[in-house]
Amino acid sequence: LAVMLAINISAGLIAMAILFSLYQYLKRTSGPARWADSRRSYHLHRLRTNLLAAAEEPEHPRDWRPQLLVFSHDAHRRERLLQFTEWLESDTGFATVVRILEGEGLQMLKLREEAENELRKDVVKYASEAFPLVIVAPSLIQGIHTLVQAYGIGPLKVNTILLNWFEHERTQNLGIREILYGRRIKTAFRLGCNIIVLKTNEEEWERLQAIPATERRIDVWWWDDASSHLMLLLAYLVTRNKTWQTAKIRVLAPSADHPTEETMKEFQRRLADARIEAEPEMVFNANTSNIIAYSKSASLVFLPFRLKGNQPLDPFDNPIEQILADLPTTALVLAAEDIVLEAEPDTGKAGEMATALDALADAEKKLQQLSLIH
C-alpha cells in the first residue's frame, strides 16, 4: 500500500476504494463456507493409524508409560493435583482428570454437564494437558469399578490412579475415613492399577514452589519391591520436567544390618543397571523417626504404603497419617505391577537370556499364586 500510494496517490486511493467495495459486496452476498478446517480430521486419522499399529506390536514391560486417571473432587486442591500430574507424565503418557457424581435420574445430566465445564475451565486455567471426564454412578465405589475397567481404547488402558490424601472428608471419625478411603484404593488396586496418593497442603506446596530448581531433591525410599521400582521410575519422570531437570534423586534403602562395602556396591550396581542417575544411601535400622529425620528437608518424597484390610499403612505397619504429619510434600505409592528398570538388550543371546529369565519369573509367580489359592 505504501509503494502504491508513493507512485500515484490518486490512483492508489481509487484502487483501494474499489477493492474495499468488492470485499464488502462479497462479504454480504456470499453464502456460508463449504470448507472446514481439515486439521482435526488429519489428527484423528493419524491417531487411528498409530493406535492400530501399536495394538499389533507385542506389549513389553519396558514400553511402560503412565496412563493416569486423576480423581479430583475438591476444586481448591485441583491446581496442585494437576501440576503434579504434569510432572509425572512428562510428555510420555496421558492423563484424564475425573469426577464421579453419585446419584441417579435425569437431573444428574445437568449436574454432569456443569461439573465437566468446571473441569475444562480448570484444565485451561492451570495450563494442564489432562482430558476432563465426569461420570454419574449410583455410588463412588461402583463408579470407580466401572471406570477403571472401561476407560481407554485399544492399547491405551489406564494403569495408574492418582488422588489426593483425605484431608477434607466429610466425616470427622478418623477410623471411618480410613476405611472409606481404603475401600476406594483397594477397588482400583484389585483391578490392576497402581496407586499414587499425593499428600500436600497449601503451606507445603508454597514451600516447594519457593525452592530453587538447582536445590531441589527427591527422596525415594527403597525396599527393592514393585512399589520401589515404580517410585524410582516416577522420580526419574519428574526430573524430565523442565522445572525439575537439575533436581537430585536420593535413593534411601533401609537395612537391618550395618551397611558394608559389598552391600553398597551391590546397591549401586542395581541403580546403575536402571541407568537412572541417583545417589544411593543405606539407612541402618530404619523406622518412622529415621524416615522423617532423613527426608524432612527434601523437596518431594516417594514413600511406599500398603493396605491391611481397608486401612492404609506405612512400611512399618503403622497408621500412615503418623508419618505424613512431619514429612514435606509426599507421594504415597502402591504398585499393582512390577516395573522393569534394567535397560538390557532384547536381541541376540543377551535378549534370549533376559526372555528366559522373565519366563522363569512369571512361572514362579504363577506357582506362588496357585499355592496361595490352594
Side-chain angles (χ1 to χ4, degrees):
L1 289 178
V3 173
M4 183 173 65
L5 293 175
I7 295 174
N8 191 319
I9 295 179
S10 58
L13 292 174
I14 294 173
M16 290 173 59
I18 293 174
L19 289 175
F20 183 75
S21 300
L22 287 172
Y23 170 74
Q24 291 296 327
Y25 171 75
L26 293 174
K27 182 179 178 181
R28 295 175 184 275
T29 58
S30 62
R34 293 176 296 172
W35 301 99
D37 194 336
S38 63
R39 287 178 295 182
R40 179 179 173 85
S41 297
Y42 169 75
H43 292 317
L44 291 174
H45 174 71
R46 288 291 303 274
L47 178 63
R48 178 183 183 276
T49 303
N50 292 334
L51 282 175
L52 291 174
E56 293 177 357
E57 295 292 332
E59 187 176 358
H60 196 282
R62 295 186 184 91
D63 296 330
W64 190 90
R65 298 291 185 273
Q67 313 295 342
L68 297 163
L69 279 181
V70 184
F71 288 90
S72 174
H73 182 74
D74 299 328
H76 64 281
R77 293 196 292 168
R78 189 168 296 143
E79 179 182 4
R80 293 175 295 209
L81 200 63
L82 289 176
Q83 181 64 70
F84 186 70
T85 301
E86 294 300 310
W87 295 345
L88 289 180
E89 61 175 0
S90 298
D91 297 330
T92 61
F94 295 93
T96 301
V97 56
V98 181
R99 277 197 64 183
I100 298 178
L101 302 180
E102 296 182 83
E104 294 178 312
L106 295 177
Q107 72 275 7
M108 298 303 298
L109 296 179
K110 182 178 181 181
L111 294 177
R112 176 180 176 272
E113 183 179 356
E114 294 174 353
E116 188 165 344
N117 289 334
E118 178 186 334
L119 283 183
R120 290 184 185 279
K121 290 179 181 178
D122 286 344
V123 166
V124 174
K125 179 180 178 181
Y126 303 130
S128 173
E129 295 181 347
F131 299 100
L133 176 64
V134 179
I135 67 170
V136 177
S139 67
L140 189 60
I141 297 297
Q142 185 174 342
I144 294 174
H145 195 276
T146 303
L147 179 61
V148 170
Q149 294 183 90
Y151 177 84
I153 178 173
L156 289 181
K157 300 292 185 182
V158 59
N159 55 30
T160 305
I161 301 295
L162 173 63
L163 64 164
N164 274 312
W165 181 242
F166 58 82
E167 291 180 335
H168 299 286
E169 291 288 340
R170 298 174 196 170
T171 176
Q172 299 299 318
N173 189 312
L174 188 59
I176 294 178
R177 292 197 309 176
E178 287 182 331
I179 293 173
L180 291 175
Y181 200 77
R183 284 186 61 197
R184 300 170 197 173
I185 293 175
K186 183 178 287 187
T187 298
F189 180 74
R190 284 179 171 175
L191 293 172
C193 286
N194 306 308
I195 309 296
I196 306 175
V197 181
L198 177 64
K199 173 264 172 184
T200 188
N201 54 42
E202 292 184 11
E203 182 181 350
E204 293 170 349
W205 191 257
E206 290 176 0
R207 189 184 306 122
L208 170 59
Q209 298 291 338
I211 300 175
T214 56
E215 299 178 11
R216 292 185 177 183
R217 189 184 81 234
I218 303 174
D219 279 1
V220 177
W221 284 91
W222 177 273
W223 266 264
D224 198 17
D225 55 5
S227 295
S228 301
H229 300 165
L230 178 59
M231 290 190 301
L232 183 57
L233 179 58
L234 294 175
Y236 167 72
L237 291 177
V238 169
T239 58
R240 294 186 59 180
N241 187 276
K242 62 181 180 180
T243 59
W244 289 86
Q245 287 179 350
T246 56
K248 297 180 180 179
I249 300 176
R250 185 173 67 164
V251 181
L252 299 151
S255 174
D257 302 319
H258 286 285
T260 63
E261 186 176 351
E262 293 182 0
T263 56
M264 278 300 300
K265 285 183 178 180
E266 176 64 18
F267 187 27
Q268 292 171 350
R269 185 191 65 79
R270 294 291 303 274
L271 293 180
D273 289 341
R275 297 187 181 181
I276 295 177
E277 186 176 348
E279 175 187 343
E281 185 171 346
M282 302 194 75
V283 181
F284 171 66
N285 197 20
N287 52 36
T288 301
S289 300
N290 286 345
I291 290 180
I292 294 173
Y294 271 84
S295 294
K296 64 181 179 181
S297 60
S299 306
L300 177 63
V301 180
F302 282 95
L303 183 70
F305 77 101
R306 62 190 69 181
L307 287 173
K308 187 175 183 180
N310 286 325
Q311 294 191 348
L313 303 176
D314 68 10
F316 310 105
D317 288 335
N318 299 318
I320 194 71
E321 63 271 7
Q322 294 181 7
I323 193 172
L324 291 180
D326 297 313
L327 283 177
T329 298
T330 303
L332 301 171
V333 177
L334 176 62
E337 56 181 334
D338 201 1
I339 304 297
V340 177
L341 295 176
E342 290 80 7
E344 296 177 355
D346 292 330
T347 58
K349 292 184 178 180
E352 293 175 0
M353 180 63 73
T355 303
L357 291 174
D358 290 341
L360 186 61
D362 290 340
E364 184 178 359
K365 287 182 180 178
K366 290 180 180 179
L367 287 174
Q368 292 176 353
Q369 291 174 355
L370 288 174
S371 64
L372 289 174
I373 293 174
H374 178 71

